[in-house]
Structure formats: structure tokens, C-alpha cells
Amino acid sequence: MSEVSRPPLTAPEREQLVGWLDHQRSFVRMKCAGLSEADAHRKVVPTSPLMTPAGIVAHLRWNEYSWFQLNVLGVPDTGQTPWTEGGHPDAEMLVDDVPIGQLLDEYDAECARSNAAIADLSLDTLERGTYAIRGEAASLRYVLCHLIEETARHVGHLDIIRELIDGRTGYTRLE
């Protein structure tokens, strides 16, 4: 995904929400551009060894899937997710053996699936899945706001991790 522009200042609510989410999503690939496999999997935060560029991309991919497919659409988990009963709580980030290019392609594909899944839904649509927060279903509007926050927060993590790896900062295009 190449960098996506900010949504228009006076766009309707849906266009603003999806636009800001797409804008943040586009920075994920940008922050990972040019990383070697070793750097993409390098553990630079001693207290959070799963916080690697690869781990973050995988985490964001599975968050997209979880929120839009499992929660909003109510698609049953048929075992395709990395989470298992009694398994590691951050299993989606255990990707030391997965190439960063594959993880980025899977993330981009999941983002496209997410957008397609919600294209015809009202922002007032409530979650259909059984994974609701505190037993209460959230609206699609809430989910979009949450994913904007989640993605932006992890883009910030990628920014810091990238600076620790090779000194690159900001929104410098690396491709």
C-alpha cells in the first residue's frame, strides 16, 4: 500500500473514518520499507521482545481480522487465527520465521478485506460476533475509531523501533 492522503477536511463521517484508517495503514509499509529480514525481526526493546517490525505488522493484521471479520461480521473462527485456548496471549506476534514481505502483503490484503466487509454497513451496525467488549456490542463507528487509534499507536512504535534500528525517523519515504 502506498501512502494514502488524508481525507478531505469536509468529507462525510464514513469517508473521514475510513480515510484516516487507510492513511495510518499506509504508514505501516512505509516504516518497514528497506528493512533487512534480520532488522525486521530484531528485538530492540528488551522488556518487549515481541515488539519487532515483523511482530507489529502481524499484530495489526490479526487485529484487522479480529475486529472486522470476527467481531463486526460475526464470522466464526475456524482455527485460522494464531490464538488457541491456553496459548500465548500474543501468539500473533510470534513470527520470527515469517518474511517481512509476506507479513506486509498479508496485512495489505486483510486491510482490503476489512474495507470490503464494511463497505455497505451503516456506521450504527453493531458487532455480530461473540467477542464484544464487556459483553456489550460496539458499533462499526466505535470499531473504526478504535482501529484508527490502534494503528496510529503501533505506527508510532514502528517509528521508534525504526529509529533504534537504523536511525530513520519521520515520514521519510524509503522506497
mmCIF file of all heavy atoms in Angstrom, residues 143-163:
data_model
loop_
_atom_site.group_PDB
_atom_site.id
_atom_site.type_symbol
_atom_site.label_atom_id
_atom_site.label_comp_id
_atom_site.label_asym_id
_atom_site.label_seq_id
_atom_site.Cartn_x
_atom_site.Cartn_y
_atom_site.Cartn_z
ATOM 1 N N VAL A 143 -15.666 0.729 16.293
ATOM 2 C CA VAL A 143 -14.596 -0.146 15.807
ATOM 3 C C VAL A 143 -13.635 0.644 14.913
ATOM 4 O O VAL A 143 -12.417 0.516 15.035
ATOM 5 C CB VAL A 143 -15.175 -1.383 15.085
ATOM 6 C CG1 VAL A 143 -14.081 -2.186 14.401
ATOM 7 C CG2 VAL A 143 -15.957 -2.253 16.078
ATOM 8 N N LEU A 144 -14.168 1.466 14.016
ATOM 9 C CA LEU A 144 -13.302 2.272 13.154
ATOM 10 C C LEU A 144 -12.446 3.232 13.976
ATOM 11 O O LEU A 144 -11.243 3.359 13.737
ATOM 12 C CB LEU A 144 -14.131 3.035 12.119
ATOM 13 C CG LEU A 144 -14.654 2.191 10.962
ATOM 14 C CD1 LEU A 144 -15.732 2.946 10.199
ATOM 15 C CD2 LEU A 144 -13.522 1.777 10.038
ATOM 16 N N CYS A 145 -13.055 3.902 14.950
ATOM 17 C CA CYS A 145 -12.283 4.813 15.815
ATOM 18 C C CYS A 145 -11.201 4.046 16.562
ATOM 19 O O CYS A 145 -10.052 4.503 16.668
ATOM 20 C CB CYS A 145 -13.202 5.537 16.800
ATOM 21 S SG CYS A 145 -14.234 6.795 16.043
ATOM 22 N N HIS A 146 -11.557 2.871 17.075
ATOM 23 C CA HIS A 146 -10.576 2.065 17.798
ATOM 24 C C HIS A 146 -9.428 1.648 16.877
ATOM 25 O O HIS A 146 -8.252 1.711 17.276
ATOM 26 C CB HIS A 146 -11.226 0.826 18.416
ATOM 27 C CG HIS A 146 -10.213 -0.086 19.014
ATOM 28 N ND1 HIS A 146 -9.493 0.237 20.147
ATOM 29 C CD2 HIS A 146 -9.760 -1.295 18.603
ATOM 30 C CE1 HIS A 146 -8.649 -0.750 20.416
ATOM 31 N NE2 HIS A 146 -8.791 -1.685 19.493
ATOM 32 N N LEU A 147 -9.733 1.212 15.667
ATOM 33 C CA LEU A 147 -8.677 0.767 14.751
ATOM 34 C C LEU A 147 -7.799 1.924 14.293
ATOM 35 O O LEU A 147 -6.598 1.735 14.070
ATOM 36 C CB LEU A 147 -9.262 0.014 13.549
ATOM 37 C CG LEU A 147 -9.259 -1.517 13.677
ATOM 38 C CD1 LEU A 147 -7.887 -2.107 13.589
ATOM 39 C CD2 LEU A 147 -9.982 -2.006 14.889
ATOM 40 N N ILE A 148 -8.354 3.125 14.177
ATOM 41 C CA ILE A 148 -7.526 4.297 13.883
ATOM 42 C C ILE A 148 -6.520 4.486 15.018
ATOM 43 O O ILE A 148 -5.316 4.651 14.790
ATOM 44 C CB ILE A 148 -8.385 5.568 13.694
ATOM 45 C CG1 ILE A 148 -9.229 5.470 12.424
ATOM 46 C CG2 ILE A 148 -7.494 6.823 13.657
ATOM 47 C CD1 ILE A 148 -10.336 6.516 12.335
ATOM 48 N N GLU A 149 -7.013 4.437 16.251
ATOM 49 C CA GLU A 149 -6.148 4.605 17.426
ATOM 50 C C GLU A 149 -5.120 3.493 17.502
ATOM 51 O O GLU A 149 -3.930 3.738 17.710
ATOM 52 C CB GLU A 149 -7.026 4.637 18.690
ATOM 53 C CG GLU A 149 -6.256 4.718 19.994
ATOM 54 C CD GLU A 149 -5.837 3.371 20.549
ATOM 55 O OE1 GLU A 149 -6.549 2.379 20.345
ATOM 56 O OE2 GLU A 149 -4.773 3.321 21.193
ATOM 57 N N GLU A 150 -5.545 2.272 17.353
ATOM 58 C CA GLU A 150 -4.655 1.106 17.437
ATOM 59 C C GLU A 150 -3.553 1.176 16.386
ATOM 60 O O GLU A 150 -2.376 0.979 16.676
ATOM 61 C CB GLU A 150 -5.479 -0.178 17.252
ATOM 62 C CG GLU A 150 -4.676 -1.451 17.185
ATOM 63 C CD GLU A 150 -4.424 -2.069 18.546
ATOM 64 O OE1 GLU A 150 -4.942 -1.582 19.549
ATOM 65 O OE2 GLU A 150 -3.681 -3.065 18.589
ATOM 66 N N THR A 151 -3.942 1.473 15.157
ATOM 67 C CA THR A 151 -2.974 1.524 14.065
ATOM 68 C C THR A 151 -2.001 2.682 14.256
ATOM 69 O O THR A 151 -0.784 2.511 14.113
ATOM 70 C CB THR A 151 -3.695 1.618 12.711
ATOM 71 O OG1 THR A 151 -4.629 0.529 12.607
ATOM 72 C CG2 THR A 151 -2.720 1.546 11.547
ATOM 73 N N ALA A 152 -2.514 3.857 14.608
ATOM 74 C CA ALA A 152 -1.646 5.026 14.807
ATOM 75 C C ALA A 152 -0.657 4.781 15.949
ATOM 76 O O ALA A 152 0.526 5.148 15.856
ATOM 77 C CB ALA A 152 -2.491 6.264 15.083
ATOM 78 N N ARG A 153 -1.114 4.162 17.023
ATOM 79 C CA ARG A 153 -0.238 3.869 18.161
ATOM 80 C C ARG A 153 0.900 2.957 17.723
ATOM 81 O O ARG A 153 2.072 3.191 18.050
ATOM 82 C CB ARG A 153 -1.050 3.230 19.288
ATOM 83 C CG ARG A 153 -0.257 2.950 20.536
ATOM 84 C CD ARG A 153 -1.168 2.649 21.732
ATOM 85 N NE ARG A 153 -2.299 1.799 21.439
ATOM 86 C CZ ARG A 153 -2.282 0.468 21.523
ATOM 87 N NH1 ARG A 153 -1.192 -0.154 21.893
ATOM 88 N NH2 ARG A 153 -3.364 -0.230 21.255
ATOM 89 N N HIS A 154 0.576 1.927 16.955
ATOM 90 C CA HIS A 154 1.617 0.994 16.520
ATOM 91 C C HIS A 154 2.498 1.584 15.425
ATOM 92 O O HIS A 154 3.673 1.203 15.318
ATOM 93 C CB HIS A 154 1.003 -0.339 16.121
ATOM 94 C CG HIS A 154 0.517 -1.117 17.303
ATOM 95 N ND1 HIS A 154 1.330 -1.403 18.390
ATOM 96 C CD2 HIS A 154 -0.685 -1.641 17.612
ATOM 97 C CE1 HIS A 154 0.647 -2.082 19.288
ATOM 98 N NE2 HIS A 154 -0.584 -2.243 18.834
ATOM 99 N N VAL A 155 1.989 2.500 14.631
ATOM 100 C CA VAL A 155 2.856 3.218 13.684
ATOM 101 C C VAL A 155 3.890 4.020 14.475
ATOM 102 O O VAL A 155 5.067 4.090 14.100
ATOM 103 C CB VAL A 155 2.035 4.120 12.732
ATOM 104 C CG1 VAL A 155 2.922 5.108 11.987
ATOM 105 C CG2 VAL A 155 1.268 3.259 11.725
ATOM 106 N N GLY A 156 3.478 4.600 15.591
ATOM 107 C CA GLY A 156 4.429 5.280 16.466
ATOM 108 C C GLY A 156 5.487 4.331 17.007
ATOM 109 O O GLY A 156 6.669 4.676 17.071
ATOM 110 N N HIS A 157 5.059 3.128 17.387
ATOM 111 C CA HIS A 157 6.030 2.123 17.825
ATOM 112 C C HIS A 157 7.000 1.793 16.690
ATOM 113 O O HIS A 157 8.214 1.708 16.910
ATOM 114 C CB HIS A 157 5.329 0.834 18.269
ATOM 115 C CG HIS A 157 4.512 0.986 19.497
ATOM 116 N ND1 HIS A 157 3.315 0.350 19.662
ATOM 117 C CD2 HIS A 157 4.695 1.702 20.627
ATOM 118 C CE1 HIS A 157 2.811 0.653 20.846
ATOM 119 N NE2 HIS A 157 3.637 1.491 21.449
ATOM 120 N N LEU A 158 6.461 1.607 15.487
ATOM 121 C CA LEU A 158 7.328 1.317 14.339
ATOM 122 C C LEU A 158 8.320 2.448 14.104
ATOM 123 O O LEU A 158 9.480 2.205 13.751
ATOM 124 C CB LEU A 158 6.488 1.082 13.080
ATOM 125 C CG LEU A 158 5.773 -0.249 12.978
ATOM 126 C CD1 LEU A 158 4.812 -0.256 11.798
ATOM 127 C CD2 LEU A 158 6.773 -1.396 12.860
ATOM 128 N N ASP A 159 7.874 3.678 14.284
ATOM 129 C CA ASP A 159 8.742 4.831 14.091
ATOM 130 C C ASP A 159 9.917 4.789 15.074
ATOM 131 O O ASP A 159 11.073 4.970 14.683
ATOM 132 C CB ASP A 159 7.924 6.115 14.267
ATOM 133 C CG ASP A 159 8.616 7.340 13.728
ATOM 134 O OD1 ASP A 159 9.278 7.242 12.670
ATOM 135 O OD2 ASP A 159 8.489 8.408 14.344
ATOM 136 N N ILE A 160 9.621 4.527 16.335
ATOM 137 C CA ILE A 160 10.678 4.463 17.350
ATOM 138 C C ILE A 160 11.605 3.279 17.094
ATOM 139 O O ILE A 160 12.834 3.409 17.162
ATOM 140 C CB ILE A 160 10.058 4.382 18.760
ATOM 141 C CG1 ILE A 160 9.350 5.697 19.095
ATOM 142 C CG2 ILE A 160 11.123 4.043 19.801
ATOM 143 C CD1 ILE A 160 8.435 5.608 20.292
ATOM 144 N N ILE A 161 11.030 2.125 16.796
ATOM 145 C CA ILE A 161 11.840 0.931 16.551
ATOM 146 C C ILE A 161 12.724 1.137 15.330
ATOM 147 O O ILE A 161 13.906 0.775 15.338
ATOM 148 C CB ILE A 161 10.943 -0.318 16.418
ATOM 149 C CG1 ILE A 161 10.342 -0.646 17.792
ATOM 150 C CG2 ILE A 161 11.719 -1.499 15.864
ATOM 151 C CD1 ILE A 161 9.229 -1.670 17.758
ATOM 152 N N ARG A 162 12.185 1.754 14.287
ATOM 153 C CA ARG A 162 12.988 2.015 13.090
ATOM 154 C C ARG A 162 14.154 2.943 13.418
ATOM 155 O O ARG A 162 15.276 2.745 12.953
ATOM 156 C CB ARG A 162 12.098 2.620 11.987
ATOM 157 C CG ARG A 162 12.811 2.816 10.653
ATOM 158 C CD ARG A 162 13.218 1.457 10.081
ATOM 159 N NE ARG A 162 14.104 1.570 8.954
ATOM 160 C CZ ARG A 162 13.767 1.280 7.698
ATOM 161 N NH1 ARG A 162 12.543 0.866 7.408
ATOM 162 N NH2 ARG A 162 14.651 1.383 6.744
ATOM 163 N N GLU A 163 13.908 3.946 14.242
ATOM 164 C CA GLU A 163 14.987 4.846 14.635
ATOM 165 C C GLU A 163 16.062 4.089 15.420
ATOM 166 O O GLU A 163 17.260 4.317 15.223
ATOM 167 C CB GLU A 163 14.440 5.997 15.469
ATOM 168 C CG GLU A 163 15.500 7.024 15.826
ATOM 169 C CD GLU A 163 14.947 8.253 16.533
ATOM 170 O OE1 GLU A 163 13.720 8.371 16.686
ATOM 171 O OE2 GLU A 163 15.768 9.092 16.934
#
